[in-house]
Amino acid sequence: MKFAGMFKDDPQFDEMLEFIEEERRQLDAEMEEYYRKLDANVLDFDEGAIAFPFSRS
């Protein structure tokens, strides 16, 4: 437990945790959108939208 409490007096620690939480929420939203499109069989790539000729069952 050598490093336990090493950030207890760091005034930026709470700000860093908030940044991590916001980044996680953003990544979760991006993944949710990706899976929503995947379920709809449409993914957006740089070249444009691609529709898959099959559906997942």
Side-chain angles (χ1 to χ4, degrees):
M1 298 296 284
K2 181 178 179 179
F3 298 105
M6 70 184 279
F7 294 110
K8 69 180 171 92
D9 295 324
D10 188 337
Q12 295 177 334
F13 186 71
D14 289 334
E15 184 179 328
M16 180 198 65
L17 289 179
E18 289 174 16
F19 175 80
I20 292 171
E21 291 168 358
E22 178 57 34
E23 188 71 15
R24 181 76 253 167
R25 282 189 292 272
Q26 183 178 5
L27 289 172
D28 288 344
E30 289 173 10
M31 291 305 297
E32 181 64 31
E33 177 68 10
Y34 171 80
Y35 287 121
R36 185 189 66 74
K37 288 180 180 181
L38 189 62
D39 288 341
N41 293 323
V42 175
L43 289 176
D44 292 328
F45 292 95
D46 291 338
E47 302 85 37
I50 295 176
F52 294 100
F54 56 90
S55 67
R56 297 185 323 170
S57 299

